[in-house]
């Protein structure tokens, strides 16, 4: 039996069950789904354990674009070129920028994108128009102002209401959020020759703004830095308790589902930016790869082919609101009719900013998570957090890049 490791929001499991059933009917190959958590860092840890022990299970798994570099550099992935040729998978149908930037390692194809992600701003259309706003905010300053105003009004009838929810807990999602603020202020995680640059004026403004949302204008709840991950922010917004939410595209179909309290009352837009910058989304997404230790590589390759087929990618888009890794599905009339925001937000994904594609990115990210979160918690000033994180990150860069 083929073991396939999946994770994510609970509704994803049902869809994978169905797909596994269909795959078995078509090929006779049984698939055992291994359920992982929703948190990307925990998903990575639970894959590393069997891979480091060179176990043959799981045979095939989904990987966050953020840790593909580490997996490829650790020699845990089966090179796919042979399987792609044998299975007639047309690599040209997938986003070249994503495949070339994330899936190839030292010239070999190691994975392919199941879906691509980018941060979006979800907003309550009904509340914006009730309070006289004709469109979602373009700048972060506008967002904070509108959030403050609507929060104050709404609290009269909805005491737990907040203006804006986003991912501030200490985990990978925080870095995705940080990059969006920083890069939309012309900052970000930069390298200059062999130095990493984090302690910049642009990053400082961005981090001060994030801290201000929680402790200054208080439009973001105090548990932003202790608890808020994707699912916490999604359910908060979905219970009608916030005006704005930063989340990935998967939240759309859940917000619009029958159980949602805000169904039909929301919109999605590009994230705001600082006055001198432009809107930026962090490029996220999940890729499929085969374990180099698997003893069922040919069957795994068949499952990979099935997951990446037009029909399956279309189903995943319709059922889960995922943005397919394949380009051709974006032209599908049914997909466009059900997900009108996809066409409208195409630019968001095309201009998304990648996290540094380094084998040791996850080490860098852990350090960033610690310091950015400490600033959000008020334990370190933003300036001190950036000075310290740059110093610590530089040591990692030197340790990993020295021959
Ligand atoms: C989403 C993105 C992934 C990112 C993660 C952070 O799953 O697709 O790339 O690392 O969120 O929480």
């Amino acid at each position: 039996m083929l073991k396939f490791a999946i994770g994510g929001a609970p509704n994803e499991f049902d869809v994978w069950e169905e797909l596994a059933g269909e795959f078995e009917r078509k090929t006779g190959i049984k698939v055992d789904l291994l359920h992982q958590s929703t948190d990307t860092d925990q998903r990575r840890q639970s894959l590393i354990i069997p891979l480091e022990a060179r176990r043959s299970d799981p045979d095939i798994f989904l990987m966050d674009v953020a840790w593909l570099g580490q997996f490829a550099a650790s020699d845990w992935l089966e090179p796919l070129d042979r399987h792609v040729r044998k299975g007639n998978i047309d690599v040209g149908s997938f986003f070249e920028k994503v495949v070339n930037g994330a899936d190839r390692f030292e010239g070999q194809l190691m994975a392919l994108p199941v879906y691509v992600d980018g941060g979006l701003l979800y907003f309550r259309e009904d509340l914006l128009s009730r309070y006289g706003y004709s469109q979602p905010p373009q700048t972060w300053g506008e967002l904070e102002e509108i959030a403050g105003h609507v929060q104050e009004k709404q609290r009269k009838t909805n005491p737990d209401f907040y203006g804006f929810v986003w991912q501030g807990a200490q985990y990978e999602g925080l870095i995705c959020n940080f990059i969006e603020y920083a890069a939309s202020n012309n900052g970000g995680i930069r390298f200059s020759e062999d130095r990493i640059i984090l302690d910049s004026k642009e990053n400082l403004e961005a981090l001060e703004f994030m801290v201000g949302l929680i402790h200054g204008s208080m439009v973001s709840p105090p548990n932003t830095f202790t608890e808020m991950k994707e699912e916490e922010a999604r359910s908060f917004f979905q219970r009608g308790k916030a005006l704005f939410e930063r989340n990935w595209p998967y939240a759309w179909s859940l917000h619009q589902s029958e159980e949602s309290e805000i169904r039909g009352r929301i919109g999605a837009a590009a994230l705001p930016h600082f006055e001198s910058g432009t809107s930026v989304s962090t490029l996220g997404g999940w890729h499929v790869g085969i374990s180099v230790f698997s003893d069922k590589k040919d069957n795994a390759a068949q499952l990979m082919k099935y997951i990446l087929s037009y029909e399956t990618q279309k189903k995943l888009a319709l059922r889960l609101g995922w943005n397919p890794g394949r380009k051709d599905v974006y032209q599908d009339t049914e997909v466009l009719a059900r997900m009108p925001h996809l066409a409208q937000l195409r630019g968001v994904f095309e201009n998304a900013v990648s996290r540094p594609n380094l084998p040791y990115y996850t080490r860098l990210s852990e350090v960033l998570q610690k310091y950015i979160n400490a600033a959000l918690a008020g334990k370190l000033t933003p300036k001190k957090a950036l000075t310290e994180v740059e110093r610590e990150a530089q040591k990692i860069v030197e340790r990993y890049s020295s021959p």
Side-chain angles (χ1 to χ4, degrees):
M1 172 145 13
L2 205 55
K3 294 240 181 345
F4 176 33
I6 51 158
N11 63 325
E12 296 173 24
F13 296 134
D14 303 340
V15 175
W16 284 119
E17 292 284 353
E18 261 176 53
L19 292 174
E22 187 183 86
F23 175 72
E24 189 187 333
R25 285 192 295 282
K26 281 197 168 149
T27 60
I29 303 169
K30 253 182 138 34
V31 180
D32 185 14
L33 296 171
L34 300 179
H35 290 195
Q36 297 191 298
S37 92
T38 49
D39 179 327
T40 174
D41 299 328
Q42 287 167 16
R43 283 174 79 169
R44 184 170 61 89
Q45 283 308 333
S46 59
L47 287 173
I48 287 182
I49 297 163
L51 289 168
E52 279 187 333
R54 307 171 76 87
R55 292 228 318 258
S56 58
D57 291 344
D59 301 281
I60 170 168
F61 37 76
L62 297 183
M63 287 171 286
D64 188 342
V65 63
W67 25 275
L68 258 174
Q70 180 194 5
F71 276 44
S74 305
D75 290 329
W76 290 333
L77 301 178
E78 163 80 356
L80 296 179
D81 300 278
R82 178 176 71 88
H83 299 285
V84 157
R85 266 195 310 275
K86 200 169 156 207
N88 274 326
I89 298 178
D90 177 15
V91 178
S93 330
F94 299 84
F95 287 108
E96 298 84 29
K97 203 178 121 192
V98 177
V99 172
N100 294 334
D103 295 308
R104 288 192 201 281
F105 184 73
E106 295 178 343
Q108 282 183 310
L109 186 72
M110 300 308 227
L112 278 167
V114 179
Y115 67 99
V116 291
D117 254 348
L120 299 178
L121 182 74
Y122 291 94
F123 58 91
R124 286 283 300 279
E125 227 155 29
D126 57 334
L127 294 180
L128 283 186
S129 73
R130 182 184 309 164
Y131 295 108
Y133 300 102
S134 55
Q135 54 170 26
Q138 305 293 306
T139 66
W140 289 115
E142 276 167 38
L143 173 136
E144 193 173 28
E145 197 185 304
I146 302 174
H149 178 68
V150 173
Q151 174 173 303
E152 194 192 315
K153 300 273 185 206
Q154 283 298 104
R155 287 244 175 119
K156 293 183 182 138
T157 50
N158 192 348
D160 299 329
F161 192 89
Y162 276 94
F164 181 35
V165 287
W166 45 282
Q167 294 79 37
Q170 189 178 336
Y171 81 118
E172 180 61 26
L174 169 59
I175 305 312
C176 299
N177 282 244
F178 171 69
I179 290 174
E180 288 163 353
Y181 291 98
S184 67
N185 196 32
N186 304 309
I189 306 175
R190 295 276 158 80
F191 289 86
S192 165
E193 306 205 343
D194 47 7
R195 288 209 66 80
I196 184 165
I197 301 168
L198 293 165
D199 187 8
S200 64
K201 177 173 144 287
E202 294 78 15
N203 288 355
L204 180 61
E205 280 166 8
L207 185 55
E208 281 171 345
F209 179 79
M210 294 168 80
V211 173
L213 291 170
I214 306 169
H215 302 285
S217 59
M218 298 196 264
V219 295
S220 297
N223 68 349
T224 301
F225 60 84
T226 50
E227 282 168 330
M228 283 287 176
K229 298 185 183 178
E230 285 81 9
E231 279 293 273
E232 286 77 7
R234 177 182 73 75
S235 77
F236 199 93
F237 184 74
Q238 199 161 312
R239 278 180 282 136
K241 290 168 60 165
L243 174 68
F244 298 121
E245 176 203 16
R246 182 269 176 212
N247 216 330
W248 307 99
Y250 86 98
W252 177 268
S253 53
L254 293 164
H255 289 330
Q256 297 289 45
S257 68
E258 308 245 316
E259 305 88 76
S260 167
E261 294 178 35
I262 52 166
R263 182 181 158 98
R265 293 191 271 146
I266 60 159
L271 288 166
H273 52 83
F274 286 92
E275 294 286 351
S276 58
T278 53
S279 168
V280 172
S281 287
T282 299
L283 178 70
W286 289 77
H287 296 234
V288 60
I290 298 173
S291 164
V292 75
F293 308 114
S294 162
D295 49 8
K296 301 184 192 67
K297 289 181 185 143
D298 288 337
N299 285 358
Q302 285 197 53
L303 178 60
M304 184 178 82
K305 180 177 179 176
Y306 168 79
I307 293 170
L308 297 173
S309 68
Y310 186 94
E311 292 70 32
T312 310
Q313 289 262 295
K314 176 173 169 180
K315 224 175 254 176
L316 289 168
L318 291 176
R319 296 286 299 278
L320 297 174
W322 286 354
N323 295 265
R326 281 182 82 105
K327 292 178 291 184
D328 43 8
V329 184
Y330 290 77
Q331 260 88 60
D332 191 284
T333 42
E334 213 181 324
V335 169
L336 284 175
R338 283 271 292 287
M339 301 162 77
H341 61 294
L342 257 200
Q344 199 189 323
L345 295 170
R346 185 167 245 164
V348 167
F349 306 107
E350 275 160 13
N351 303 322
V353 169
S354 300
R355 282 159 278 179
N357 183 13
L358 299 166
Y360 60 89
Y361 169 73
T362 52
R363 285 287 303 121
L364 271 185
S365 172
E366 275 166 28
V367 171
L368 272 157
Q369 292 168 27
K370 182 171 90 187
Y371 284 99
I372 307 277
N373 186 262
L376 298 186
K379 289 192 205 136
L380 290 179
T381 62
K383 177 64 190 164
K384 179 107 175 130
L386 290 178
T387 317
E388 303 239 322
V389 75
E390 185 173 289
R391 201 172 41 79
E392 222 177 287
Q394 180 61 29
K395 282 197 224 144
I396 298 177
V397 173
E398 281 163 21
R399 188 170 342 124
Y400 284 90
S401 44
S402 59

